[in-house]
Amino acid sequence: MITKYSAKISGTGKYTPDKIVNNYDLEKMVNTTDEWIRTRTGMFERHFVADDQAASDLAYEAALQALEAANIRAKDLGMIIVATISNDHAFPSTACILQKKLGVKDFPAFDLSAGCTGWIYAANIAKQYIENGVAEHILIIGVEILSQLINWEDRGTCVLFGDGAGATVISRAEPKDISRFIDTEISADGTHYDLLIQPAGGSRMPASKESIEKNLHTIYMEGNKIFKHAVRSMYDVCETVLKRNHMDVRSIDWLITHQANLRIIESLGKKLKIDDEKVIVNIEKYANTSSATIPIALDESIRSGKIRHGDVILAASFGAGLTSGSLLFRL
Ligand code: ACO
């Protein structure tokens, strides 16, 4: 591919619903303890939507912030990509609904299903369209309402998830910009597709009275097996982009990984030999919001002044599929 331009992140935003459920609240709902959740996962609070909120509502709020931060209007966008596994509807896409909410039309808008790696997959795609000159500004969003997919009869998974949206505007970088994408790698290992799955509600097992009674529309996960895959696959995609660009971990100012489990984040940090202070962690506040964890953490870190213009950031994720991906960029 002929690369004409560079891509950069020009604006970020986030939205998390008002309702906060902490570990003590969960103790009253299921057979669990604050101590177990904290020590096994690092989580304390998670945000849950109100009954009338859908994914596009959260995405819209995050998008407004990202557009403002990028100093552009929705009509300047050339594409919207929404990464989600909890769309408003099976179809049409949440991206098209968001496009309507933003009051714009006549450019591509689509959803992307890559589980928790969705935002990195979206960034990878946006990079191609910016670099080949087809679009100048692309809105990518990771949004999830996992509180509606929780199986409250499975204590091993029901404590892990939260709701939220993170939005990012990817723009064409000016030649004088220091901000730019350096590299990105995405991958998948479909042989393990059944380790993390919403079994019913698709064409393999359409919705039925029986599927609802058996909780088959909720998240099924084999946590232990995914844990091992998570560390290994994130390490591999990080090493790939670092090596390809003749960089090592000392050139990285910040590591932002998918926030699924503090022990996974720490294991990856250790394997990469990166200083603990360079690893962004906010899992205690939001739990696992799947495709939204990285853009939420990025937005929060930029707005708090922790991550600054010019910093080099390595983002990495893994998720249902099983997918994995990394994005190396200078903010
Ligand atoms: N409260 C109290 N005890 C619990 C709970 C709970 N909520 N859940 C499980 N336990 C118990 C189990 O019953 C088990 O007890 P036993 O030893 O008497 O049988 C014990 O705790 C240990 O259970 P494990 O499942 O072995 O616990 P583990 O240390 O593996 O932690 C966890 C489980 C947190 C799910 C971990 O495996 C994990 O985080 N895996 C990765 C998950 C992940 O990253 N998913 C990401 C993708 S998400 C996405 O794409 C949407």
Side-chain angles (χ1 to χ4, degrees):
M1 189 189 77
I2 299 166
T3 298
K4 288 205 243 169
Y5 303 102
S6 293
K8 66 168 184 177
I9 288 180
S10 58
T12 63
K14 78 160 171 51
Y15 177 81
T16 49
D18 295 338
K19 184 177 174 188
I20 296 176
V21 177
N22 68 30
N23 293 346
Y24 299 114
D25 298 319
L26 292 178
E27 282 183 353
K28 293 176 204 141
M29 298 159 69
V30 288
N31 179 16
T32 190
T33 59
D34 169 59
E35 203 262 334
W36 190 93
I37 302 172
R38 266 186 211 266
T39 52
R40 304 312 291 165
T41 73
M43 297 168 185
F44 178 59
E45 292 177 342
R46 66 283 291 140
H47 293 239
F48 282 179
V49 286
D51 289 344
D52 61 351
Q53 284 179 307
S56 66
D57 301 321
L58 277 54
Y60 176 69
E61 298 298 334
L64 293 183
Q65 286 184 11
L67 291 169
E68 191 186 1
N71 200 21
I72 62 163
R73 290 191 286 180
K75 70 176 181 49
D76 300 321
L77 293 171
M79 185 179 289
I80 297 175
I81 310 174
V82 174
T84 186
I85 55 162
S86 43
N87 342 40
D88 286 25
H89 307 280
F91 69 89
S93 71
T94 301
C96 286
I97 298 169
L98 177 62
Q99 196 187 38
K100 182 185 176 192
K101 281 179 190 282
L102 291 170
V104 287
K105 59 181 181 176
D106 298 334
F107 61 81
F110 58 94
D111 288 0
L112 184 160
S113 172
C116 305
T117 320
W119 182 84
I120 290 192
Y121 265 61
N124 182 294
I125 294 169
K127 178 176 181 283
Q128 319 303 323
Y129 279 96
I130 297 287
E131 287 184 350
N132 65 23
V134 173
E136 270 188 62
H137 302 285
I138 298 179
L139 175 64
I140 66 167
I141 301 211
V143 57
E144 302 294 357
I145 299 188
L146 299 176
S147 61
Q148 291 167 352
L149 300 182
I150 284 171
N151 178 0
W152 289 105
E153 285 167 26
D154 176 9
R155 68 174 180 165
T157 59
C158 70
V159 300
L160 304 177
F161 301 107
D163 304 334
T168 315
V169 176
I170 314 293
S171 300
R172 182 185 296 174
E174 299 298 325
K176 63 178 170 22
D177 271 340
I178 55 164
S179 304
R180 60 191 56 239
F181 280 11
I182 299 167
D183 202 356
T184 163
E185 174 79 4
I186 52 176
S187 188
D189 178 359
T191 55
H192 301 297
Y193 81 91
D194 51 354
L195 293 182
L196 179 51
I197 189 167
Q198 181 184 9
S203 57
R204 177 67 60 196
M205 196 187 293
S208 67
K209 196 164 169 264
E210 192 193 358
S211 68
I212 290 167
E213 280 166 4
K214 290 186 173 165
N215 260 326
L216 294 171
H217 298 78
T218 58
I219 298 169
Y220 170 82
M221 180 171 82
E222 294 190 36
N224 274 321
K225 289 184 188 159
I226 292 183
F227 194 111
K228 287 177 204 137
H229 176 89
V231 179
R232 195 181 54 245
S233 67
M234 283 200 290
Y235 178 78
D236 287 348
V237 286
C238 286
E239 278 291 288
T240 300
V241 290
L242 288 173
K243 280 206 179 117
R244 204 155 54 202
N245 294 280
H246 312 291
M247 291 168 71
D248 69 29
V249 83
R250 284 168 298 180
S251 4
I252 305 303
D253 294 305
W254 302 104
L255 175 71
I256 308 183
T257 77
H258 174 40
Q259 309 281 306
N261 188 314
L262 183 59
R263 290 182 291 139
I264 293 177
I265 300 170
E266 288 173 347
S267 301
L268 178 69
K270 215 167 161 188
K271 209 165 153 61
L272 284 170
K273 298 192 175 67
I274 191 164
D275 297 343
D276 290 348
E277 313 83 68
K278 291 184 172 182
V279 182
I280 304 281
V281 178
N282 67 359
I283 194 169
E284 69 285 358
K285 288 202 285 185
Y286 305 111
N288 181 349
T289 56
S290 188
S291 63
T293 63
I294 293 177
I296 286 176
L298 178 64
D299 178 68
E300 201 169 57
S301 305
I302 292 172
R303 285 176 194 268
S304 70
K306 194 170 189 175
I307 294 185
R308 293 171 192 205
H309 178 57
D311 285 354
V312 176
I313 298 149
L314 178 58
S317 192
F318 67 96
L322 296 174
T323 56
S324 55
S326 62
L327 173 67
L328 180 61
F329 63 100
R330 188 182 283 280
L331 187 71

